[in-house]
Amino acid sequence: MAPDQPYQPHPRNLSAETTAALRDAVVRHLERGSDGDDSLGRAVSMVVAEAREREMRAEELILAFKTLYDALPEPKSAVARAEQVHLRERLVSACIRAYYTNEAGGR
């Protein structure tokens, strides 16, 4: 007999358009620093709007970010790698915060 395990549906991915916008915003920020912050903000808004529309769980957003970052080219320097990791953590936090803020305000 198999142990009881909670039902876990297959995670849903973000659309190709949203994933591309987020990837482009991340790359732009990594290349330009704070000059890319506006595009990051727009990309996070786009991600949250799509996630809410598709009724994605917060865990699915985290998986989407991890998938995106795994696909980025590996930075050449330790400083660039650290910056990329810090940005990923910042974006995941901002996205989850926005996701739950929108949820609380919309219901």
Side-chain angles (χ1 to χ4, degrees):
M1 180 187 269
D4 289 337
Q5 293 193 11
Y7 171 71
Q8 295 197 354
H10 297 287
R12 291 164 284 182
N13 295 320
L14 296 168
S15 69
E17 177 185 0
T18 299
T19 300
L22 182 59
R23 182 184 55 247
D24 292 348
V26 166
V27 169
R28 189 174 301 116
H29 179 82
L30 291 171
E31 290 174 349
R32 299 182 188 167
S34 62
D35 287 343
D37 283 350
D38 288 342
S39 61
L40 275 177
R42 285 190 301 275
V44 167
S45 294
M46 187 179 203
V47 165
V48 169
E50 181 175 325
R52 300 283 300 134
E53 179 181 306
R54 296 179 64 206
E55 298 180 356
M56 290 175 71
R57 298 180 323 272
E59 306 86 65
E60 291 174 302
L61 290 176
I62 293 169
L63 287 174
F65 274 98
K66 286 184 177 185
T67 300
L68 169 75
Y69 269 82
D70 287 347
L72 291 175
E74 183 71 24
K76 292 179 177 34
S77 73
V79 172
R81 279 191 296 277
E83 182 181 343
Q84 188 170 324
V85 168
H86 177 71
L87 179 60
R88 179 183 68 191
E89 292 168 357
R90 219 176 86 207
L91 282 174
V92 167
S93 295
C95 196
I96 298 302
R97 191 171 36 256
Y99 179 85
Y100 283 114
T101 298
N102 287 346
E103 183 178 72
R107 291 185 182 178

